[in-house]
Amino acid sequence: MQSLPSLDLDCVEAFVRVAELSSFTRAAEALGTTQSVVSLKVKRLEASVGRRLLERTPRLVRVAEGCGPFLQASRDLLGSRDGLLATLRRQDRLRLSIGISDQAAGRDLPDILKRITRQDPDLLPDVHVGASRELLDRFDRGSFDAVVVRAEDDRRPGEVLIEEPYAWVAAPSWRWPTGLPLPLATLAEPCGVRALAIRSLEDAGLAWRDAFVGGGVAALGAALAAGLAVSVLALRVAPPGLIDVGDAVGLPPLPRSRVVLQSRVTQPRLAAALRGLAAGFRAGAAARAAEDALPLARQPRAGRGAGRAVSAPGART
């Protein structure tokens, strides 16, 4: 009888992290090691099973065709390992309190949180979503272990997770009536993105009016989808179905934005969870950037029409 290949669980874990984050670099960050070490472990696993498990291109890493069941079985194997070890030692359940800006969260947040709890089943994430300035104030008062915020007006040191452009977004059906102030949709004050949008319009000498002031990106997206107004959002965060209208209707250029992690964590398990969180944000941003790197559809400015569509996760427009 032919013997089955032995599997190094560290190699299996490296494969799972690369597959989930679509990046050797992000997987190394999540595991607290180097890209070369992760690459070597994946190659060892592929040699053990006798086939290529990942397809690699300069812009993309994905699970090879037919290897989806192996990925799920690998996750199950790691879960069984963790359960087995838990029978021999009791690990304290640790609480990780995180504040995440609604303008930074993006559509990948559920998957990111799922991965860090799978990585440490005894972790108790306590996640609060709100405005960046309010979260930073609460972080300064000791309410959070860490915050992920946009840093337009805040220059304190922190780990930059993402640098990305803002865009003027609206529904494809939206039109700016000639001669009327621009209808603007924003989150409520003290939203830094609202302040940026207003400052950009006023610096350009463009009249505007509040058409919608909402309490979250989901509510803002509903107003935009209804065609009520235009708003400033990062394309990564903008709900699917909206389009970048800035060039088409002559709105002023917008600066790039930074998403920053502020942390006071020193406990090793909590630090490992934050590494996974940071890697997840970076991987999600890279995937969205690849989807949005498409030609901008232009219409005559007089038509005040719209341009590039915001793609849904995992889809191309």
Side-chain angles (χ1 to χ4, degrees):
M1 179 183 297
Q2 185 177 5
S3 62
L4 294 175
S6 60
L7 299 179
D8 184 325
L9 292 184
D10 285 346
C11 296
V12 174
E13 185 169 21
F15 160 67
V16 170
R17 296 291 174 262
V18 173
E20 290 180 340
L21 295 169
S22 301
S23 166
F24 282 87
T25 301
R26 300 284 82 84
E29 181 182 1
L31 293 169
T33 185
T34 65
Q35 180 177 337
S36 60
V37 168
V38 172
S39 179
L40 180 60
K41 287 181 178 180
V42 171
K43 287 179 180 177
R44 285 176 179 168
L45 179 62
E46 290 176 328
S48 294
V49 299
R51 67 167 296 174
R52 175 159 294 219
L53 300 172
L54 296 170
E55 294 179 0
R56 306 159 175 85
T57 71
R59 294 185 59 186
L60 181 68
V61 179
R62 63 187 177 191
V63 178
E65 184 176 356
C67 292
F70 184 84
L71 172 61
Q72 184 56 53
S74 297
R75 291 192 183 110
D76 295 341
L77 178 61
L78 295 176
S80 297
R81 175 201 64 182
D82 295 339
L84 178 64
L85 293 176
T87 65
L88 300 177
R89 57 176 172 80
R90 178 164 181 79
Q91 190 166 232
D92 292 336
R93 295 182 71 82
L94 290 181
R95 176 177 173 268
L96 176 62
S97 180
I98 312 171
I100 300 178
S101 168
D102 200 17
Q103 290 272 17
R107 290 163 269 159
D108 298 304
L109 183 59
D111 288 337
I112 293 171
L113 296 176
K114 186 186 301 182
R115 279 196 293 269
I116 66 172
T117 53
R118 185 188 298 135
Q119 175 182 320
D120 187 344
D122 291 317
L123 185 71
L124 299 173
D126 183 358
V127 180
H128 297 253
V129 176
S132 291
R133 291 181 186 175
E134 293 176 346
L135 295 174
L136 280 169
D137 288 344
R138 294 181 63 187
F139 175 73
D140 289 340
R141 295 196 299 268
S143 299
F144 297 120
D145 298 312
V147 290
V148 176
V149 295
R150 291 204 176 269
E152 272 65 52
D153 301 321
D154 191 272
R155 292 295 178 262
R156 75 187 76 189
E159 180 183 355
V160 177
L161 302 183
I162 304 167
E163 290 193 20
E164 59 188 351
Y166 280 125
W168 297 97
V169 296
S173 61
W174 176 79
R175 294 295 183 270
W176 181 4
T178 302
L180 295 181
L182 180 75
L184 185 65
T186 69
L187 301 187
E189 294 181 349
C191 175
V193 182
R194 170 184 168 83
L196 182 149
I198 292 172
R199 185 168 60 248
S200 297
L201 292 171
E202 292 182 345
D203 287 349
L206 295 173
W208 62 276
R209 66 177 179 87
D210 275 324
F212 182 89
V213 179
V217 170
L220 188 63
L224 295 173
L228 298 184
V230 65
S231 186
V232 170
L233 289 171
L235 292 178
R236 179 182 59 85
V237 175
L242 303 178
I243 54 175
D244 178 352
V245 302
D247 286 349
V249 302
L251 293 173
L254 295 165
R256 293 181 68 81
S257 172
R258 296 180 305 137
V259 175
V260 175
L261 171 66
Q262 301 279 356
S263 170
R264 57 171 54 90
V265 165
T266 58
Q267 205 280 343
R269 282 173 54 203
L270 297 185
L274 287 183
R275 285 198 303 271
L277 183 82
F281 268 95
R282 290 186 173 114
R288 297 288 85 77
E291 291 169 359
D292 291 327
L294 301 172
L296 182 64
R298 299 185 183 274
Q299 297 181 2
R301 183 167 295 183
R304 300 212 178 205
R308 183 174 60 211
V310 175
S311 55
R316 289 187 178 272
T317 56

